[in-house]
């Protein structure tokens, strides 16, 4: 008889978490999705609720959790500047207390545990592209530090639990990811540009738009997650997962305007503090170790993302105008 692997996904109702839950169910796992809905949303996982192998629990990872599982994916943490700066103390707690609680659970159940870390651990980098050996350049007292340093400390905890308790760990450093189910008001560049273009509002570009980002489509990233988790135990990471294709913010704005057929103008505003000027992953480690690299081109990924936001904004308009029962 096939015994299903029981997998816990924290932040499972979020953008990335919902796609991961979906993938794990398709792979034949039992999935326990845990979320406190700070940035996650039930709408992201409603299509999974009838699946007998899917369970949903409302819980905040800053409090201990007592369940049984074989694997843990720790994705719980607000990941956009607007959300993580809204309550910076809670953001730090989510990263650090959340990591301690999930590592404690993994230690008790002897579960393999995955940490969704971030390219933000590199801060505003002096090395380009960034590889895993680079220690980063982070302002520890800036407005982004609650997230940057919280994630850096979580990585520390993971490796200390690995060394001290022999825990099986996997640490992925995620670079900018986009796709359907992104929060419409998360302030991230892709969702911002698409919603502004669809609404016909000016596209907000900070600075002169020459700063670069690398955009990875969500399906590619989730494939990387699963491959890293399934890799041999000695492959702990940290491992960069992202798309090395590099675009300026201005290029992205122009592509979105073109693809939406919008008449939006571009509105230049001052650059926020500690905003990285360049962001591009060196994915040599992932390519050589997992045979993984992104396959979805930016325009292809934007096509489905724009379609999602188009539907979502229409639905939001209908609700505000009382057209839906």
């Amino acid at each position: 008889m096939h015994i299903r692997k029981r997998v816990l996904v924290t932040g499972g109702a979020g953008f990335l978490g919902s796609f991961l839950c979906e993938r794990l169910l398709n792979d034949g796992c039992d999935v326990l999705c845990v979320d406190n809905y700070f940035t996650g949303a039930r709408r992201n996982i409603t299509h999974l609720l009838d699946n007998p192998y899917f369970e949903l629990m409302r819980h905040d990872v800053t409090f201990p959790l007592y369940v049984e599982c074989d694997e843990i994916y720790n994705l719980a943490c607000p990941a956009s500047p607007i959300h993580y700066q809204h309550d910076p103390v809670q953001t730090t707690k989510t990263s650090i207390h959340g990591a301690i609680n999930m590592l404690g659970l993994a230690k008790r159940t002897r579960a393999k545990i995955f940490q969704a870390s971030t390219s933000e651990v590199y801060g505003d980098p002096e090395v380009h592209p960034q590889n895993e050996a680079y220690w980063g350049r982070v302002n520890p007292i800036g407005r982004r530090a609650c997230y940057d340093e919280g994630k850096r400390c979580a990585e520390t905890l993971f490796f200390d639990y690995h060394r001290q308790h022999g825990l099986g760990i996997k640490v992925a450093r995620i670079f900018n990811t986009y796709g359907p189910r992104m929060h419409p008001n998360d302030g991230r560049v892709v969702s911002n540009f698409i919603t502004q273009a669809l609404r016909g509002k000016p596209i907000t570009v900070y600075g002169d738009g020459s700063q670069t980002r690398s955009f990875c489509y969500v399906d590619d990233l989730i494939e990387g997650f699963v491959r890293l988790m399934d890799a041999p135990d000695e492959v702990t990471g940290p491992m960069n997962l992202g798309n090395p294709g590099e675009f300026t913010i201005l290029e992205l704005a122009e592509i979105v305007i073109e693809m939406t057929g919008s008449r939006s103008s571009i509105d230049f505003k001052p650059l926020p503090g500690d905003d990285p000027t360049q962001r591009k992953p060196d994915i040599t480690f992932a390519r050589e170790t997992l045979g993984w690299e992104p396959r979805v081109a930016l325009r292809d990924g934007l096509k489905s993302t724009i379609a999602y936001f188009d539907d979502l904004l229409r639905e939001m308009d209908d609700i505000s105008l009382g057209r839906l029962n």
Side-chain angles (χ1 to χ4, degrees):
M1 188 178 95
H2 171 66
I3 297 175
R4 286 175 172 264
K5 204 161 45 176
R6 185 158 170 79
V7 185
L8 166 63
V9 180
T10 71
F15 163 46
L16 297 180
S18 62
F19 279 99
L20 178 61
C21 288
E22 210 167 67
R23 168 65 187 267
L24 293 169
L25 289 167
N26 289 339
D27 287 350
C29 300
D30 243 343
V31 176
L32 172 58
C33 167
V34 167
D35 208 294
N36 69 346
Y37 303 125
F38 177 60
T39 56
R42 278 182 70 93
R43 66 172 293 136
N44 291 339
I45 39 90
T46 45
H47 63 295
L48 304 177
L49 294 175
D50 290 336
N51 189 315
Y53 300 107
F54 180 77
E55 187 181 347
L56 176 62
M57 180 190 291
R58 186 172 193 139
H59 180 81
D60 186 328
V61 294
T62 60
F63 298 94
L65 183 61
Y66 302 101
V67 294
E68 302 305 314
C69 54
D70 303 306
E71 290 181 354
I72 301 167
Y73 284 86
N74 186 35
L75 273 59
C77 189
S80 76
I82 282 180
H83 290 144
Y84 67 63
Q85 290 172 11
H86 171 71
D87 188 345
V89 172
Q90 186 62 26
T91 296
T92 304
K93 281 174 152 180
T94 302
S95 281
I96 297 173
H97 290 186
I100 290 168
N101 288 331
M102 290 307 111
L103 287 161
L105 175 61
K107 183 184 166 194
R108 180 179 69 78
T109 59
R110 301 312 299 171
K112 194 160 46 168
I113 182 166
F114 175 104
Q115 168 66 5
S117 190
T118 172
S119 60
E120 298 295 334
V121 300
Y122 299 122
D124 189 1
E126 296 157 301
V127 170
H128 191 75
Q130 295 81 55
N131 65 32
E132 292 86 354
Y134 178 53
W135 289 357
R137 177 171 169 259
V138 172
N139 175 2
I141 58 168
R143 288 186 177 276
R144 301 171 75 102
C146 58
Y147 184 68
D148 302 3
E149 297 288 31
K151 290 288 192 179
R152 284 163 69 96
C153 186
E155 286 196 13
T156 304
L157 286 161
F158 266 68
F159 279 89
D160 283 338
Y161 265 79
H162 175 63
R163 286 184 286 256
Q164 193 171 334
H165 301 296
L167 213 58
I169 65 163
K170 306 286 179 176
V171 176
R173 290 176 177 166
I174 303 166
F175 283 69
N176 293 60
T177 305
Y178 71 98
R181 300 184 206 151
M182 291 182 84
H183 197 291
N185 302 318
D186 65 6
R188 294 196 221 188
V189 67
V190 173
S191 49
N192 252 17
F193 287 3
I194 292 173
T195 53
Q196 287 171 336
L198 289 172
R199 295 267 195 220
K201 293 180 177 175
I203 305 266
T204 309
V205 171
Y206 294 99
D208 62 4
S210 64
Q211 65 271 42
T212 67
R213 294 292 182 272
S214 305
F215 303 103
C216 185
Y217 189 62
V218 60
D219 290 355
D220 284 332
L221 187 77
I222 299 303
E223 177 66 27
F225 281 12
V226 173
R227 287 196 195 191
L228 177 55
M229 185 64 112
D230 292 345
D233 290 348
E234 61 270 17
V235 182
T236 57
M239 180 181 284
N240 288 341
L241 292 177
N243 193 320
E246 192 177 11
F247 296 85
T248 68
I249 298 301
L250 196 54
E251 278 180 288
L252 178 70
E254 287 163 352
I255 291 169
V256 168
I257 288 170
E258 178 209 320
M259 290 185 68
T260 53
S262 175
R263 295 185 177 181
S264 294
S265 58
I266 294 176
D267 185 15
F268 294 94
K269 294 201 169 172
L271 199 63
D274 300 327
D275 195 51
T277 50
Q278 289 181 304
R279 189 51 61 73
K280 176 182 176 177
D282 180 335
I283 60 166
T284 306
F285 183 35
R287 195 182 278 129
E288 292 178 353
T289 311
L290 308 179
W292 175 87
E293 61 185 313
R295 299 181 181 279
V296 181
L298 181 62
R299 284 177 178 270
D300 294 336
L302 284 174
K303 189 177 176 184
S304 56
T305 310
I306 289 166
Y308 168 79
F309 276 106
D310 198 22
D311 289 344
L312 181 67
L313 294 178
R314 286 176 201 274
E315 188 182 316
M316 287 164 67
D317 287 345
D318 286 343
I319 290 169
S320 66
L321 294 169
R323 291 185 191 135
L324 294 182
N325 293 329

